[in-house]
Amino acid sequence: MMADLKTAVNPIFLSEEDLRRGIELLFFAYRDFIGDPDDVLAKFNFGRAHHRVLHFVNRNPGMKVAELLDILKITKQSLGRVLKQLIDQGYVVQKEEANDRRQRLLYVTPKGEALAMKLAGLQTARIARALSELGPHAHEAACRFLTAMINAEQRDSVLRFIARADRARRQRG
């Protein structure tokens, strides 16, 4: 029974120490990955929720508020507060959907796109540096790992979302 449990939890038989080290590395990597954007956001009195909203709205122009809520997994009140700040300061605009006026669609303004791209640039540079240290197949391995970290029942929808965002970005130029 113990071997079955160990295989289910740890199919490649890493030691508990190796797994804990991986967890700690993930915490430190995340800290540094968001640290650069945090420094920029602090100048605007914005936080990580603002960053995530700018990122997803920039990647998906016309995104519905409901879809953003589902992605961010935050309360409607929290999103409302963040959106109000971004809208009031001219980073995001909200429009009614033509066919359903109850639906609110989100778009970044040129100012919002500039900030989103500045933040993405900081993170892109960090990822590019890390991948360049690992060799030619590092990107594929990293993507497989990160995809495997997503809850299995949500992976397909996340991958579809990313593909749609990639298409939207290419169409914008």
Side-chain angles (χ1 to χ4, degrees):
M1 180 70 168
M2 186 62 153
D4 291 338
L5 180 60
K6 187 164 182 105
T7 302
V9 174
N10 185 1
I12 56 177
F13 299 105
L14 292 172
S15 70
E16 289 296 317
E17 175 103 3
D18 288 339
L19 292 170
R20 279 194 209 96
R21 187 177 305 114
I23 291 167
E24 289 169 354
L25 286 169
L26 191 56
F27 280 127
F28 284 111
Y30 178 72
R31 176 200 67 191
D32 294 348
F33 178 71
I34 60 168
D36 299 328
D38 282 353
D39 293 341
V40 172
L41 291 163
K43 295 173 186 163
F44 300 93
N45 291 319
F46 289 165
R48 292 176 187 160
H50 297 85
H51 181 190
R52 291 190 303 269
V53 168
L54 282 170
H55 172 82
F56 286 111
V57 173
N58 183 56
R59 292 269 293 155
N60 299 277
M63 168 179 255
K64 294 177 183 174
V65 171
E67 186 178 19
L68 187 57
L69 275 169
D70 188 50
I71 289 167
L72 298 179
K73 303 289 187 212
I74 61 176
T75 66
K76 196 172 188 178
Q77 292 79 11
S78 294
L79 178 58
R81 186 181 70 251
V82 168
L83 273 177
K84 181 175 177 4
Q85 290 174 311
L86 290 169
I87 291 168
D88 289 350
Q89 294 184 36
Y91 292 93
V92 172
V93 293
Q94 183 173 262
K95 300 177 183 178
E96 290 178 352
E97 184 175 28
N99 297 331
D100 184 353
R101 297 181 66 183
R102 294 171 299 165
Q103 294 292 328
R104 294 175 295 153
L105 306 179
L106 302 171
Y107 300 85
V108 291
T109 63
K111 181 178 172 181
E113 182 179 12
L115 180 55
M117 294 308 293
K118 179 176 185 169
L119 300 172
L122 294 168
Q123 292 180 315
T124 299
R126 181 173 293 279
I127 289 172
R129 273 192 314 271
L131 291 174
S132 71
E133 292 180 23
L134 299 177
H137 302 291
H139 180 261
E140 292 83 8
C143 286
R144 283 194 317 272
F145 170 78
L146 292 170
T147 301
M149 290 288 291
I150 298 167
N151 289 339
E153 64 276 2
Q154 295 175 338
R155 286 181 197 154
D156 287 342
S157 66
V158 167
L159 293 174
R160 281 192 306 275
F161 177 85
I162 291 169
R164 191 171 71 236
D166 289 344
R167 282 191 305 276
R169 188 74 184 159
R170 281 192 302 274
Q171 289 173 350
R172 289 192 314 188

